[in-house]
C-alpha cells in the first residue's frame, strides 16, 4: 500500500532472528552501529553510570528517563516471546504479540494487568558525541570512549577525563521577560504600534548578536547576549524612548532601528563594551586623589583677610531658615503648650503619615513610635529635561526609582516613622540656642569650615556628627560623633554616613589622643551630648571668625548656634531663581572645580569632605573676585586691600572758560 522510506533501517529489529516479515522496516544487521534514535542501547556498567548534564551543548530535543534495573528483565521478556513465536506469524499476530500486557502479581494476591509502558523503563536516546580530531580518535580506544561519562567527554573534547564536579560557571541571567512593551501611564503610541517597533528593534539586535557568535576571538563569550538578555535590552531601549515625548517617539525608535540595521560588527562590539563598563564599579585610585590647585593670587594670610568680604548679611536670612535671634520666653511658653497638647502626634518627614512618638518608650510594648513601617521615596521628585522642539508637559519623577509623582507610595521601607521640626521655638525647647562667645585666644584658626550630620530621634532631627576644618589649608581641627538627647529612631545613614557600628566602635572623646582601628583607619571619638559638641566648637571660634559651610542654617540649627559671621556657599553661588531654591554642594563642585564628591552612594556623605569642599568653593570665589578687583585698580599692601585712587580732574583755564 505504501513504499517504506527507510527511516528505521538503522534500528535493530526487536524480533530478530525470528522475524518472519519479508518487508521488515527494521534492520536485521546487528553488526551495524545503532542510530542515535534507536530503542536499544549498550548497557552501561554500574561502575560507569551515565551522568546527565543538562547544560551540555549539542544535545537535540528533550531527554527521556534513564534505563533502570528492569532493563535485563525487559530483554529476557523479548527473547522469550521471540522463542515462542512461529515462522507463520502474520503482521496482525505480531502486533498482537508485541502489545501483550504482562501480568504482575499485586501485594494482595490478585493479578493486576498494567500496560507495558508502566512496567518498563524507557532508556534515554544516545547523545551526540563531541567531534575529535582524526589523530586523537584513532588513538582513543572505543571501549574507553563508551564507558566514560558523556559530559566528561564533551567538556574538553580531547578525550582526557575531567573531574565529575567540573561544571561551567553559570552566567548571570537577565530577568525573564516576554517581548511585550512595558506599561506606561501615558503611552506614546498604541500597543500594536509599540509591539511592532519593539519586534523590529529586537530583530536587529539578534542579527548583530548572531554575528558575534560566529566570531572566533576571545571577546566572544563576554559580548554575546542570551535570549533573555536580548529581550531585556530591547525592552530597556524602547522603554527609555517611550518615556519621552510622544510626538517624537516613532521617529526616535525608527532612527534607532535604522542605525542598528546599518551597523557593522565592530561598532556593535563597542556599544556592548560601553554597556558592560557602565555596570562595572568605578576604579578607585590607590593613592590620594590630587586635584588642580586653586589659584587666588593671594597668600593664605591675605585670603583670611579677604574672606570677611564674603560674609552674609543677617537681614532677611530668617525668612529662609536661618535663626538670627533667640526665641523669647513668651514664644517658648507658647511652643511648650503646643507640644503638650499634641500629645506626641507628629507628621512623618518621609511619607507624611500622622503617627505618635513615645519618648522613654511605651509601657505596653516598649515601642518608640506608632504607625508601623514607613514606606517612602528617599530621593526628591525632579522634572526631567524637556526635549528640543517639544512643548509637552513633563511629569515629576523620583530620582530613586524613576516613578512618576503620585503613582507610587514608595520604594524604600524603614522600621519606623520619623519627624523633623524647623521652628526655632520648638528647637529651643529641646536644646537652647547660644551665641558664639567672645574669645581672647590666639590659637584659633583664621576661619573655620563647618559641617554637621543629623539623624532622627524621638525629639526630632538631632546632631550626630560635627566636623570642623581650618581654612584655607583644610587641616582637621574637630571631628566627633555626638550622642543625641532622644532615643534614636533612624541614623539617616544613606545621607549622614553614620552607621550603628560607628557608635559601637567609637571611643570617648579625649582631646590630644587619636585612636586607630584594626584596619588602620582613625576611629571617631564620641561625646555625650550636643551641648558638649557645641562647647568644643566654641573653642575654635570668635565672634569675628568666619564660619564657612554649605546651607549653614541646617548645621547651625542642629548645633543651636547663633554666629554673626557666616560664609555660606549656597548664598555665594545663588540659584538664578533666587531663594529658597539653591544649588547642591555636589553640583557646585562639579561645575566650578570639576571635582566629584559625595560618591559613596548608599554609604552616605562624609562631613569632612563636605566641609573641605565648601572651603575650596570659597577660595575659588575669592580668586574670581580678586582678579576682577585688580582689573578695577585695587591693590594690596601688608595684608590689606586698597581701592583705586581717584584721578583729579584737569585744571581748567578760567579765562578761556569764561570766553
Amino acid at each position: 500500500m505504501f513504499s517504506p522510506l527507510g527511516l528505521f533501517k538503522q534500528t535493530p529489529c526487536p524480533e530478530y532472528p525470528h522475524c518472519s516479515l519479508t518487508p521488515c522496516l527494521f534492520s536485521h544487521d546487528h553488526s551495524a552501529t545503532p542510530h542515535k534514535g534507536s530503542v536499544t542501547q549498550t548497557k552501561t556498567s554500574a561502575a560507569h553510570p551515565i551522568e546527565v548534564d543538562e547544560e551540555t551543548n549539542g544535545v537535540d530535543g528533550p531527554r527521556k528517563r534513564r534505563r533502570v534495573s528492569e532493563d535485563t528483565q525487559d530483554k529476557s521478556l523479548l527473547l522469550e516471546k521471540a522463542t515462542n513465536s512461529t515462522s507463520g506469524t502474520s503482521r496482525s499476530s505480531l502486533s498482537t504479540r508485541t502489545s501483550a500486557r504482562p501480568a504482575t502479581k499485586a501485594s494482595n494476591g490478585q493479578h493486576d494487568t498494567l500496560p507495558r509502558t508502566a512496567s518498563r523503563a524507557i532508556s534515554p536516546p544516545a547523545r551526540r558525541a563531541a567531534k575529535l580530531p582524526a589523530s586523537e580518535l584513532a588513538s582513543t580506544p572505543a571501549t574507553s570512549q563508551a564507558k566514560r561519562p558523556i559530559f566528561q567527554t564533551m567538556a574538553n573534547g580531547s578525550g582526557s577525563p575531567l573531574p565529575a564536579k567540573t561544571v561551567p560557571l553559570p552566567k548571570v541571567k537577565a530577568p525573564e521577560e516576554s517581548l511585550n512593551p512595558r506599561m506606561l501611564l501615558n503611552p506614546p503610541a498604541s500597543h500594536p504600534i509599540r509591539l511592532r517597533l519593539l519586534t523590529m528593534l529586537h530583530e536587529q539586535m539578534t542579527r548583530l548578536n548572531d554575528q558575534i557568535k560566529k566570531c572566533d576571538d576571545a571577546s566572544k563569550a563576554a559580548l554575546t547576549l542570551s535570549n533573555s538578555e536580548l529581550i531585556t535590552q530591547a525592552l530597556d531601549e524602547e522603554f527609555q524612548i517611550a518615556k519621552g515625548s510622544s510626538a517624537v517617539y516613532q521617529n526616535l525608535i525608527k532612527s534607532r532601528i535604522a542605525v542598528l540595521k546599518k551597523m557593522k560588527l565592530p561598532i556593535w562590539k563597542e556599544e556592548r563594551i560601553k554597556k558592560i563598563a557602565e555596570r562595572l564599579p568605578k576604579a578607585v585610585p590607590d593613592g590620594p586623589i590630587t586635584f588642580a590647585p586653586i589659584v587666588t593670587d593671594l597668600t593664605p594670610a591675605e585670603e583670611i583677610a579677604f574672606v570677611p568680604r564674603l560674609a552674609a548679611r543677617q537681614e532677611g536670612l530668617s525668612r529662609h531658615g536661618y535663626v538670627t535671634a533667640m526665641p523669647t520666653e513668651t514664644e517658648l511658653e507658647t511652643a511648650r503648650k503646643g507640644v503638650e497638647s499634641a500629645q506626641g502626634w507628629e507628621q512623618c518627614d518621609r511619607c507624611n503619615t500622622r503617627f505618635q512618638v513615645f519618648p522613654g518608650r511605651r509601657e505596653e510594648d516598649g515601642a518608640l513610635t506608632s504607625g508601623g513601617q514607613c514606606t517612602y521615596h528617599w530621593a526628591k521628585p525632579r522634572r526631567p529635561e524637556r526635549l528640543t522642539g517639544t512643548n509637552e508637559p513633563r511629569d515629576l519623577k523620583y530620582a530613586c526609582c524613576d516613578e512618576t509623582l503620585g503613582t507610587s507610595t514608595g520604594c524604600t521601607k524603614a522600621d519606623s516613622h520619623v519627624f523633623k521640626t524647623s521652628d526655632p521655638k520648638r528647637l529651643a525647647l529641646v536644646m537652647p540656642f547660644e551665641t558664639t562667645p567672645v574669645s581672647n585666644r590666639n590659637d584659633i584658626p583664621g576661619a573655620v569650615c563647618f559641617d554637621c550630620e543629623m539623624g532622627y530621634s524621638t525629639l526630632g532631627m538631632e546632631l550626630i556628627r560635627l566636623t570642623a576644618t581650618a581654612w584655607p589649608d583644610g587641616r582637621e581641627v574637630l571631628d566627633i560623633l555626638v550622642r543625641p538627647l532622644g532615643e534614636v529612631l533612624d541614623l539617616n545613614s544613606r545621607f549622614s554616613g553614620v552607621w550603628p557600628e560607628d557608635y559601637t566602635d567609637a571611643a570617648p572623646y579625649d582631646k590630644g589622643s587619636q585612636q586607630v582601628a584594626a584596619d588602620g583607619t582613625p576611629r571617631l571619638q564620641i561625646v555625650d551630648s550636643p551641648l558638649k559638641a557645641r562647647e568644643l566648637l566654641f573653642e575654635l571660634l570668635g565672634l569675628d571668625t568666619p564660619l564657612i559651610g554649605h546651607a549653614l542654617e541646617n548645621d547651625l540649627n542642629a548645633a543651636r548656634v547663633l554666629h554673626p559671621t557666616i560664609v555660606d556657599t549656597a548664598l555665594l553661588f545663588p540659584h538664578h531663581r533666587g531663594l529658597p531654591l539653591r544649588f547642591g554642594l555636589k553640583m557646585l563642585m562639579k561645575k566650578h572645580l570639576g571635582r566629584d564628591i559625595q560618591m559613596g552612594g548608599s554609604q552616605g556623605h562624609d562631613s569632612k569632605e563636605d566641609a573641605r569642599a565648601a572651603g575650596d568653593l570659597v577660595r575659588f570665589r575669592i580668586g574670581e573676585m580678586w582678579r576682577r578687583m585688580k582689573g578695577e585698580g585695587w591693590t594690596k599692601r601688608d595684608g590689606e586691600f586698597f581701592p583705586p585712587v581717584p584721578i583729579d580732574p584737569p585744571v581748567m583755564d578760567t579765562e578761556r572758560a569764561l570766553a
Side-chain angles (χ1 to χ4, degrees), residues 271-509:
E271 282 198 5
R272 290 285 304 121
I273 292 173
K274 290 180 180 178
K275 288 186 175 295
I276 293 173
E278 290 175 358
R279 299 197 303 263
L280 296 176
K282 294 185 178 180
V284 179
D286 297 334
I289 303 176
T290 58
F291 301 104
I294 301 173
V295 180
T296 61
D297 296 333
L298 298 173
T299 64
E302 292 170 343
E303 291 179 4
I304 294 175
F306 192 98
V307 72
R309 298 174 179 271
L310 278 61
R313 296 181 179 179
Q314 298 292 310
E315 296 81 6
L317 290 180
S318 58
R319 297 195 302 267
H320 305 291
Y322 295 86
V323 179
T324 56
M326 291 187 183
T328 62
E329 290 296 332
T330 305
E331 293 174 337
L332 292 177
E333 185 62 27
T334 304
R336 186 177 294 106
K337 292 179 180 179
V339 172
E340 292 175 356
S341 62
Q343 297 180 353
W345 285 95
E346 302 287 351
Q347 184 175 0
C348 183
D349 188 38
R350 292 168 169 170
C351 66
N352 297 327
T353 300
R354 295 285 295 176
F355 71 103
Q356 193 173 11
V357 183
F358 309 107
R361 299 187 179 274
R362 186 165 53 186
E363 294 182 0
E364 298 85 54
D365 54 2
L368 292 173
T369 60
S370 65
Q373 285 188 332
C374 176
T375 304
Y376 65 100
H377 293 281
W378 57 263
K380 296 180 180 179
R382 299 186 179 182
R383 200 176 301 277
E385 295 182 2
R386 190 187 301 275
L387 297 177
T388 305
T390 61
N391 294 320
E392 292 193 358
R394 299 167 296 164
D395 297 329
L396 289 171
K397 294 181 180 295
Y398 289 100
C400 50
C401 58
D402 205 30
E403 293 288 341
T404 304
L405 179 65
T407 61
S408 173
T409 58
C411 59
T412 309
K413 290 186 179 294
D415 293 335
S416 64
H417 297 283
V418 295
F419 76 98
K420 171 188 176 181
T421 178
S422 302
D423 186 5
K425 299 182 290 295
R426 286 200 58 183
L427 293 175
L429 288 179
V430 177
M431 175 179 165
F433 283 87
E434 189 172 344
T435 305
T436 307
V438 179
S439 177
N440 297 323
R441 298 176 57 178
N442 298 324
D443 56 346
I444 61 174
V448 174
C449 298
F450 168 62
D451 189 70
C452 294
E453 302 295 348
M454 283 75 77
Y456 294 101
S457 77
T458 55
L459 299 178
M461 182 166 273
E462 290 197 66
L463 177 68
I464 59 175
R465 182 179 177 183
L466 188 148
T467 304
T469 61
W471 188 88
D473 57 359
R475 173 175 45 88
E476 176 188 328
V477 291
L478 183 65
D479 190 11
I480 53 174
L481 291 176
V482 183
R483 199 178 303 278
L485 298 175
E487 293 89 347
V488 174
L489 296 178
D490 193 330
L491 290 175
N492 201 25
S493 301
R494 177 181 288 275
F495 298 101
S496 68
V498 179
W499 298 82
E501 52 267 25
D502 294 331
Y503 274 89
T504 305
D505 299 338
Y509 177 74

Side-chain angles (χ1 to χ4, degrees), residues 431 480 509 527-537 539:
M431 175 179 165
I480 53 174
Y509 177 74
V527 295
D528 294 334
S529 70
L531 293 168
K532 179 62 176 178
R534 182 175 63 184
E535 179 184 338
L536 295 175
L537 177 64
E539 294 180 0

Side-chain angles (χ1 to χ4, degrees), residues 170-318:
K171 196 174 183 179
V172 178
K173 294 184 179 179
E176 294 293 340
E177 296 182 270
S178 61
L179 196 62
N180 196 35
R182 294 170 180 165
M183 293 186 61
L184 281 171
L185 186 63
N186 298 314
S190 62
H191 184 272
I193 294 177
R194 290 184 64 193
L195 180 60
R196 178 172 57 86
L197 295 173
L198 175 63
T199 305
M200 297 170 62
L201 186 68
H202 178 261
E203 288 176 356
Q204 297 304 321
M205 291 182 176
T206 305
R207 177 185 64 84
L208 293 168
N209 191 62
D210 292 339
Q211 293 182 12
I212 292 183
K213 290 181 180 179
K214 298 177 183 178
C215 297
D216 296 330
D217 54 2
S219 62
K220 172 183 175 181
L223 301 181
T224 304
L225 293 171
S226 65
N227 293 334
S228 299
E229 292 172 336
L230 278 171
I231 292 175
T232 301
Q233 182 167 335
L235 289 173
D236 289 342
E237 289 200 18
E238 193 275 339
F239 185 70
Q240 291 297 327
I241 298 175
K243 288 193 303 182
S245 172
S246 59
V248 297
Y249 164 73
Q250 295 193 37
N251 292 337
L252 290 178
I253 194 168
K254 287 179 181 178
S255 299
R256 176 59 177 166
I257 294 171
V259 169
L260 291 175
K261 194 172 183 179
K262 299 178 182 179
M263 186 176 291
K264 302 299 182 182
L265 185 59
I267 302 178
W268 174 252
K269 285 185 176 182
E270 291 180 2
E271 282 198 5
R272 290 285 304 121
I273 292 173
K274 290 180 180 178
K275 288 186 175 295
I276 293 173
E278 290 175 358
R279 299 197 303 263
L280 296 176
K282 294 185 178 180
V284 179
D286 297 334
I289 303 176
T290 58
F291 301 104
I294 301 173
V295 180
T296 61
D297 296 333
L298 298 173
T299 64
E302 292 170 343
E303 291 179 4
I304 294 175
F306 192 98
V307 72
R309 298 174 179 271
L310 278 61
R313 296 181 179 179
Q314 298 292 310
E315 296 81 6
L317 290 180
S318 58

